[in-house]
C-alpha cells in the first residue's frame, strides 16, 4: 500500500484562528507564512520559493481582489508568479491541487500554497450574503435560501432516508468542540455538552447554532517541494500521495441525491486510487464539517462507513480522539473555525502536524497515513488529498 | 530558433464581444465553448476534456462566485475538476499558465482554459468600483483613485521622461479601432480619426475617452492538449513554446518606476528564453492595451523597441497591419473590448487564428510566431505567452 509521493510538504504554517481585529488578509497571511519559514531554517524563501497559489473566496469582505500579488508582496515573494484560486470554501484545497500540478510540471521545484480570509469585521448578514455567492444566483440566492438552509435540506433528506438523528449531528459538535480545546490555535476552545448543542437556537431546522461552523479570520500555508529535493529542507517531510478533485452542479436542486456529495465521492475515489490506499489504511482525517451533517455525509462519501451509517459512526465513538479513525482532531471547521479560503490548507496543516508528531495534546499516536476533504459551497467542488509520513 | 512545444492548442472559441443583454456569464461562456467544440469535431468534450481552469475577475457583477463548476455545468464538463482563477484583468492569462502546468504535470492530457465577464448590465460607476478591487484598498481605492487615474500617472511620467505625446497615444486608438472594423466579433467596429480621439472627453488627463478600453461582455476559451496527441484532434495545432509570469506590488506608489511594468518585463524575458525566440522573430502580437499608454509601454517592456521609443514605434506605423510587427490585429482591448476575465485567452484566440490562417480580413500573411501579453491591474500581475504554428 501507499504509492510514491506526488510532492512533499517541507513546511507549513497557520495563523491563530479567531477574531483578528485591525488586521487585513495580507497581515494574517504573513503570520501563517512566518511560521512556515521559522519551521524550515534551511529554506531561503526569496531564493527557493518559485510561485504562490493562494485560495481566497471573497473579494467583497475587504473590497480587495488581485490577492495573489498582494500576498506575495507582504510575504517577500515578489516578483514570483502569484495567483488567486477560488473554489468557494474549497479554494485552498484547489490551490493545493494546483501547487501539485506546478511541481509535477517540472517548471517549479518549490512552491507555496495557502489560503486566507478575513470575515469577522463584517456583520453576520453581510457574511451570509457574501457566502451565498457560492450558491446559484438565479435559483438559490434569488429565492432567499442561504447555506444553513441548503445544508438543512441535506440533513432532513438524510434523516428521512436513513434515520439519522439530531442527537447524532449534535455529537459531531460535541466531539469537535472537545478537540478544539486541545488546539491552541482554534477559534473556540470550549467544551460543550450534548444538551447544550441540542437546545441551542435553531438556525435552519434541524440545524441549530452548534451544528454550524464559525465565522473566523485566519490563514494557512504549505511549502511544497519536489520529493527528490525535500530532504534538503527538512528531515521530516510529509508526502502527498493522492489528489482527487471533482465538480457537481452549483445548485442543490439539480443533484441526483441530497444525501451524498457526488463530487466528494469521485474526488475520494481518485485520491485513494492514486495513493493505493483504502479507507481502512487511514490513521487520521480532517473533513469539511461546515455543518455537522456535512461531517456525517463525509464519513459515507469517503468510505469510512457504508451509506446511511455515518450517524452510527459518530455514535460509536469511532471518529473521536482515541477511536479507530480520529476525524477532525484540530477541532474542524466547527471549533477551530472556518475562514473559508484558508480551510483547505489548514486541514493539510493539521495532517502535517499529525504525521510529524507535532500535534501535542491532540496527537494521534503513530499516525502514518492521513486524509483531508475540502468542499466548496453545497458540494459543487470537492477535493481530497492523501498524505503519508516519510 | 523556436523550442519544442510545452502544450498545443487544438481548438479555440470566442463569444461575440459587446453588450449581451439578458445573458449570464454561464451562457456567454457556453457560446465560446460551442465554437471550440464545432471547430474540433474529432474531440469528444465530455470524454476528452479532463479539467477546466477559468479566469473570472469579479463575483460582484452577477453576485456569483464559485464560477468553475457553474461554467463546467453549462458546458457539459461535469464532473471534471473546474477551478476559477483570478488575477484581475490577467485572470485568463493566468488560467492559461495553469492549464500549461496541468498538461506538463502528466496528470492531464487535455484541458480547457478560458475566461468570462459580464459587465454591461452594471452602471459605469459600479463597474469602476468593481474594477478598483484590483488596485490597493488601503492606499489607492481608499483615496479615490481609479484605473484611468493610475494609468494617467504612468502616462504623464512617460511623457515627462521620454517626450511621449498625446498624439502618439491617440494613434494607438486609431490603429486599434481600424483593426476592430476587420473583426466581426469586436465590440466596436468603427474607425476613428486622430482628431476625434484627440478631442474626445478627458477622463483622467492626459487620457481621453478614446484612450480607454471598453466595458464589454464576453468569453473566450482554448482547448489544450499534450503535443504528442494534438494531431489526434486537429491537423493544424498551434504550439505554445514559452510561458512567463511575474508579480509586482499591488500599489503603484511602491514601484521602482512608473514608465515600465517590471512584471511584464520579467514575464517577457522568461517566455522568450523558454521559447528561444527574440522580439525580432515575432510576426504578430496581442498586447494589453487597457489604455493607449499601456500599449506603448508594452512595446518597450517586450523589447519591440528601446525604452522610451514606444511612441515612435506607433508613429512610424511599425505595429499597423502591414507593418513589420502588427500589434493587436483583433482590435485589442480598445476596440474588440475588454471583458476583463476573458481577455487573456481572447488574445490567445486571436494568435491561434493568425497562426492557422483563419483571421480573414485582418490576417497577417505568413505569420509563424506570435506573442500575447496580459496585464492585471496596474501591473501587479503580467503573463506572456509565445506561440508557433505547426
Amino acid at each position: 500500500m501507499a504509492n510514491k509521493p506526488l510532492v512533499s510538504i517541507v513546511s507549513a504554517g497557520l495563523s491563530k484562528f479567531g477574531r483578528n481585529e485591525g488586521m487585513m488578509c495580507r497581515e494574517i497571511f504573513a503570520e501563517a507564512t512566518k511560521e512556515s519559514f521559522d519551521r524550515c531554517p534551511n529554506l531561503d524563501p526569496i531564493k527557493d520559493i518559485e510561485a504562490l497559489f493562494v485560495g481566497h473566496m471573497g473579494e467583497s469582505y475587504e473590497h480587495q481582489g488581485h490577492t495573489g500579488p498582494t500576498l506575495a508582496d507582504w510575504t517577500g515573494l515578489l516578483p514570483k508568479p502569484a495567483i488567486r484560486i477560488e473554489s468557494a470554501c474549497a479554494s485552498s484545497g484547489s490551490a493545493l491541487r494546483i501547487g501539485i500540478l506546478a511541481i509535477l510540471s517540472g517548471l517549479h521545484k518549490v512552491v507555496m500554497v495557502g489560503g486566507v480570509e478575513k470575515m469577522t469585521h463584517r456583520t453576520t448578514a453581510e457574511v451570509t450574503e457574501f457566502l451565498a455567492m457560492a450558491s446559484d444566483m438565479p435559483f438559490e440566492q434569488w429565492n432567499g435560501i442561504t447555506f444553513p438552509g441548503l445544508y438543512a435540506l441535506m440533513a432532513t433528506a438524510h434523516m428521512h432516508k436513513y434515520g439519522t438523528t439530531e442527537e447524532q449531528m449534535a455529537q459531531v459538535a460535541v466531539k469537535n468542540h472537545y478537540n478544539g480545546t486541545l488546539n491552541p490555535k482554534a477559534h473556540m476552545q470550549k467544551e460543550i455538552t450534548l444538551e447544550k448543542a441540542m437546545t441551542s437556537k435553531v438556525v435552519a431546522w434541524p440545524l441549530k447554532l452548534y451544528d454550524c461552523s464559525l465565522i473566523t479570520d485566519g490563514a494557512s500555508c504549505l511549502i511544497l517541494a519536489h520529493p527528490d529535493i525535500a530532504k534538503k529542507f527538512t528531515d521530516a517531510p510529509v508526502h502527498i500521495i493522492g489528489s482527487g478533485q471533482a465538480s457537481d452542479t452549483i445548485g442543490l436542486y439539480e443533484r441526483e441525491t441530497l444525501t451524498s456529495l457526488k463530487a466528494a465521492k469521485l474526488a475520494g475515489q481518485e485520491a485513494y486510487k492514486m495513493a493505493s490506499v483504502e479507507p481502512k489504511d487511514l490513521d487520521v482525517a480532517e473533513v469539511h464539517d461546515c455543518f455537522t451533517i456535512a461531517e456525517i455525509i463525509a464519513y459515507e462519501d469517503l468510505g469510512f462507513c457504508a451509506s446511511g451509517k455515518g450517524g452510527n459512526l459518530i455514535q460509536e465513538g469511532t471518529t473521536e480522539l482515541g477511536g479507530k479513525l480520529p476525524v477532525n482532531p484540530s477541532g474542524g471547521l466547527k471549533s477551530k473555525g472556518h475562514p473559508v479560503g484558508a480551510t483547505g490548507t489548514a486541514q493539510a496543516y493539521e495532517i502535517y502536524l499529525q504525521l510529524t508528531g507535532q500535534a501535542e495534546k491532540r496527537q494521534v499516536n503513530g499516525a502514518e497515513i492521513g486524509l483531508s476533504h475540502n468542499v466548496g459551497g453545497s458540494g459543487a467542488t470537492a477535493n481530497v488529498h492523501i498524505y503519508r509520513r516519510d
Side-chain angles (χ1 to χ4, degrees), chain A residues 24-358:
Chain A
M24 293 189 73
C25 273
R26 52 191 79 177
E27 295 162 298
I28 301 171
F29 190 69
E31 183 185 325
T33 60
K34 181 173 185 308
E35 181 188 338
S36 75
F37 299 154
D38 289 347
R39 249 178 213 291
C40 199
N42 292 344
L43 178 121
D44 177 343
I46 296 168
K47 194 175 124 282
D48 293 321
I49 297 176
E50 298 171 11
L52 170 66
F53 302 101
V54 66
H56 180 58
M57 178 172 167
E59 61 232 28
S60 302
Y61 296 99
E62 290 189 332
H63 212 268
Q64 181 70 69
H66 214 172
T67 324
T70 308
L71 299 180
D73 188 4
W74 259 256
T75 313
L77 297 181
L78 291 181
K80 309 299 169 64
I83 301 178
R84 172 186 169 206
I85 309 299
E86 190 266 308
S87 293
C89 309
S91 292
S92 57
S94 290
L96 171 53
R97 170 101 174 167
I98 286 173
I100 294 169
L101 297 177
I103 300 283
L104 289 174
S105 77
L107 278 193
H108 296 300
K109 291 283 184 197
V110 179
V111 303
M112 177 180 277
V113 299
V116 65
E117 215 79 48
K118 175 77 178 86
M119 307 171 78
T120 64
H121 61 300
R122 293 295 199 164
T123 65
T124 302
E126 285 172 334
V127 170
T128 303
E129 188 208 321
F130 298 158
L131 289 173
M133 292 194 209
S135 66
D136 188 59
M137 198 280 274
F139 293 101
E140 292 181 333
Q141 297 176 44
W142 191 260
N143 293 294
I145 198 162
T146 57
F147 274 102
L150 291 165
Y151 275 88
L153 291 171
M154 295 189 221
T156 50
H158 208 273
M159 292 163 79
H160 176 71
K161 186 166 178 187
Y162 297 122
T164 302
T165 65
E166 291 177 72
E167 286 78 4
Q168 289 168 334
M169 290 187 251
Q171 278 175 309
V172 172
V174 170
K175 168 179 75 72
N176 291 352
H177 270 272
Y178 171 74
N179 293 352
T181 65
L182 306 177
N183 182 355
K185 289 197 173 175
H187 186 169
M188 205 165 277
Q189 301 175 34
K190 184 178 85 172
E191 267 192 86
I192 57 164
T193 61
L194 191 69
E195 193 197 348
K196 179 158 186 166
M198 289 291 292
T199 56
S200 65
K201 195 174 65 176
V202 172
V203 175
W205 190 88
L207 302 179
K208 294 167 273 299
L209 184 66
Y210 281 100
D211 290 300
C212 306
S213 58
L214 309 175
I215 294 168
T216 301
D217 307 327
S220 54
C221 71
L222 309 171
I223 301 173
L224 306 179
H226 191 288
D228 291 350
I229 60 164
K231 288 285 173 75
K232 213 180 106 181
F233 302 113
T234 176
D235 294 333
V238 166
H239 307 297
I240 300 185
I241 55 175
S243 171
Q245 177 146 342
S247 307
D248 203 347
T249 64
I250 179 92
L252 203 62
Y253 64 92
E254 288 185 281
R255 304 274 173 83
E256 293 164 21
T257 175
L258 293 185
T259 56
S260 168
L261 300 185
K262 184 181 172 185
K265 267 190 157 166
L266 292 171
Q269 286 161 9
E270 183 187 2
Y272 284 131
K273 189 176 168 195
M274 198 181 289
S276 297
V277 158
E278 294 179 33
K280 69 174 172 49
D281 302 323
L282 298 173
D283 299 307
V284 60
E286 287 277 312
V287 308
H288 197 92
D289 58 326
C290 50
F291 297 93
T292 52
I293 184 64
E295 178 162 329
I296 289 173
I297 291 174
Y299 295 164
E300 302 171 12
D301 289 341
L302 295 167
F304 299 172
C305 62
S307 293
K309 300 295 181 192
N312 297 77
L313 205 70
I314 180 73
Q315 206 166 356
E316 290 159 4
T318 310
T319 58
E320 287 171 13
L321 276 169
K324 194 156 160 272
L325 174 56
V327 173
N328 287 330
S330 71
L333 287 55
K334 180 74 262 308
S335 158
K336 182 181 60 183
H338 185 26
V340 285
T343 283
T345 39
Q347 296 173 318
Y349 171 88
E350 177 69 14
I351 300 294
Y352 170 81
L353 292 189
Q354 291 286 349
L355 300 189
T356 51
Q358 301 181 77

